[in-house]
Amino acid sequence: MTLDTRIFVLGKVEPHEVFRFCRDLLGAADRHAFSDRQDTTWREGESFVEPGNPWTISNNPGQGLPAWLMLYYRPDEPLRTPEQAAEHDMDCNLPESGDYVEEWGPCDGERHRRACWLTVSFDTAYGYRDERGYGCGDLHAEYIAKLGQWLDERRVRWEWMNEFTGEVHTGYSRLIDLASGGFEASAWFRTSVLPVIQAETGGTR
């Protein structure tokens, strides 16, 4: 099982620049391969690329990096407009298991995908532990905070989703819900993130 944390970048930004920054967060080097290709559509047992399909930049899995990095985008346009996010699709009225339940009822929009310019995904095994004592939640909290600060410097709005709860948050104050303790105890958190959280919450946590 893995923790898949999503960051929704709401403002316009160059996708490949975001991807390079995130690769640096992971400690990726030139030897760590990645792909950048348009997504395929599967229909009636066949796969093909349609002109309107989004693109995915992704580190190749199994290279020993702390997270599998994926970035979803469309060249020179939003990944998903508010109008597109409001549309129903074949999966939006299904429970998290993906199994159809007739009693689930009509879709109320809660399960629709987010409107955003692009989406970043960090995916790490639940059993992850590094030399700092960070678990997967601590690691992802650090990645969110560092990417968030990078986006803030460029005045680009962003949100992130806690996969444990399914809740979407803005800012840094709820990162503590994701972390297990190592991130919160680190000197970097106390000097770089905690002051921002205190400003967001009026000095309380």
Side-chain angles (χ1 to χ4, degrees), residues 53-88:
N53 286 0
W55 290 64
T56 301
I57 318 176
S58 173
N59 281 342
N60 295 354
Q63 300 187 89
L65 294 170
W68 185 11
L69 169 64
M70 290 160 278
L71 187 150
Y72 309 99
Y73 75 103
R74 296 180 194 272
D76 302 316
E77 62 180 293
L79 174 63
R80 196 173 302 108
T81 66
E83 293 76 18
Q84 290 168 333
E87 295 175 356
H88 298 293

Side-chain angles (χ1 to χ4, degrees), residues 188-202:
W188 181 80
F189 168 82
R190 296 189 175 279
T191 58
S192 298
V193 182
L194 185 57
V196 181
I197 292 176
Q198 290 173 335
E200 286 182 352
T201 60

